[in-house]
């Protein structure tokens, strides 16, 4: 596709439930990143992939968060036992590869609300 | 922790005026990227400036970088109402590809 796409655009769930958020990167981009953004704040890094492997998952807040990219393209961010504090906009980005001068292009985000 | 810190937090100007937003960062960077965000959703990439560059232009945008002061500025000339958005700087540090963002500057351009 022309840009990074994310589904769903909005997700409302109840505390304790499991959610999956999907990201489809720009075609040909091998690096994929997940960030989350709370109201009034800048995005915060969660994890990034080069190909199928997670190159850096140091931003994942705890073991309830997990992300996969099994075929090196689409990625899914999975959150178990959701908590109200997980409510945020989850942003995905992709870049041509892992290089210091590669721009990261962002998708529209998924707004997650945990009731 | 936040790498970039934008200043001012909010800026309101008349259409046609120039808008200047500043960004300070804490640690050494490989590059600094500026983004625009409308209505708290997707970020639009504006400019990437490398650590060995001092100035970069793109249309009505001009970005400067002063690595000795660990600061950058974004200038939007001849602003338009459509420029109303939040603007973020984000740095990528040595040995890392993750971006670390500031809290952003909220720009309002009044028609």
């Amino acid at each position: 596709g022309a840009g990074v796409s994310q589904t769903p655009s909005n997700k409302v769930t109840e505390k304790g439930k499991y959610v999956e958020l999907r990201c489809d990167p720009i075609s040909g981009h091998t690096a994929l990143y997940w960030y989350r953004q709370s109201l009034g704040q800048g995005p915060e890094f969660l994890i990034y992939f080069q190909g199928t492997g997670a190159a850096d998952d140091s931003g994942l807040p705890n073991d309830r968060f997990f992300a996969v990219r099994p075929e090196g393209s689409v990625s899914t961010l999975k959150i178990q036992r959701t908590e109200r504090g997980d409510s945020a906009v989850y942003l995905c980005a992709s870049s041509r590869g892992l290089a210091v001068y590669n721009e990261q292009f962002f998708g529209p985000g998924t707004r997650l609300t945990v009731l | 922790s936040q790498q970039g810190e934008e200043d001012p937090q909010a800026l309101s100007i008349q259409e046609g005026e120039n808008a200047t937003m500043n960004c300070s960062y804490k640690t050494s960077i490989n590059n600094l990227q500026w983004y625009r965000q409308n209505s708290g959703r997707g970020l639009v990439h504006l400019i990437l400036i490398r650590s060995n560059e001092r100035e970069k232009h793109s249309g009505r945008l001009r970005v400067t970088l002063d690595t000795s002061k660990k600061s950058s500025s974004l200038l939007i000339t001849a602003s338009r109402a459509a420029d109303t958005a939040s603007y973020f700087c984000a740095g990528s540090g040595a040995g890392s590809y993750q971006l670390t963002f500031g809290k952003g500057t909220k720009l309002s351009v009044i028609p």
Side-chain angles (χ1 to χ4, degrees), chain B residues 3-4 6 23 31-35 88-92 99-102:
Chain B
Q3 171 74 288
E6 291 87 349
C23 167
N31 67 67
L32 197 83
Q33 304 189 44
W34 283 90
Y35 289 86
F88 293 90
C89 67
S92 169
L99 291 176
T100 308
F101 287 81

Side-chain angles (χ1 to χ4, degrees), chain B residues 5-40:
Chain B
E5 197 165 309
E6 291 87 349
D7 167 54
Q9 291 186 358
L11 179 61
S12 185
I13 59 173
Q14 294 290 128
E15 201 166 30
E17 293 181 338
N18 296 341
T20 300
M21 288 160 271
N22 302 298
C23 167
S24 59
Y25 56 92
K26 296 171 184 167
T27 60
S28 296
I29 55 167
N30 293 314
N31 67 67
L32 197 83
Q33 304 189 44
W34 283 90
Y35 289 86
R36 184 185 74 226
Q37 186 176 45
N38 293 86
S39 306

Side-chain angles (χ1 to χ4, degrees), chain B:
Chain B
S1 63
Q2 290 177 315
Q3 171 74 288
E5 197 165 309
E6 291 87 349
D7 167 54
Q9 291 186 358
L11 179 61
S12 185
I13 59 173
Q14 294 290 128
E15 201 166 30
E17 293 181 338
N18 296 341
T20 300
M21 288 160 271
N22 302 298
C23 167
S24 59
Y25 56 92
K26 296 171 184 167
T27 60
S28 296
I29 55 167
N30 293 314
N31 67 67
L32 197 83
Q33 304 189 44
W34 283 90
Y35 289 86
R36 184 185 74 226
Q37 186 176 45
N38 293 86
S39 306
R41 296 305 290 264
L43 292 121
V44 174
H45 189 272
L46 298 176
I47 280 187
L48 179 152
I49 187 164
R50 301 182 180 196
S51 58
N52 61 354
E53 297 176 315
R54 292 296 166 259
E55 189 170 309
K56 206 159 180 183
H57 297 253
S58 176
R60 293 183 297 113
L61 307 180
R62 181 173 78 107
V63 168
T64 61
L65 180 64
D66 186 335
T67 52
S68 67
K69 294 181 180 177
K70 292 189 169 60
S71 68
S72 174
S73 68
L74 170 67
L75 168 67
I76 304 174
T77 60
S79 63
R80 305 166 182 168
D83 295 329
T84 295
S86 291
Y87 291 81
F88 293 90
C89 67
S92 169
S96 172
Y97 303 103
Q98 59 172 276
L99 291 176
T100 308
F101 287 81
K103 290 187 178 181
T105 291
K106 192 167 184 178
L107 174 66
S108 299
V109 181
I110 303 163

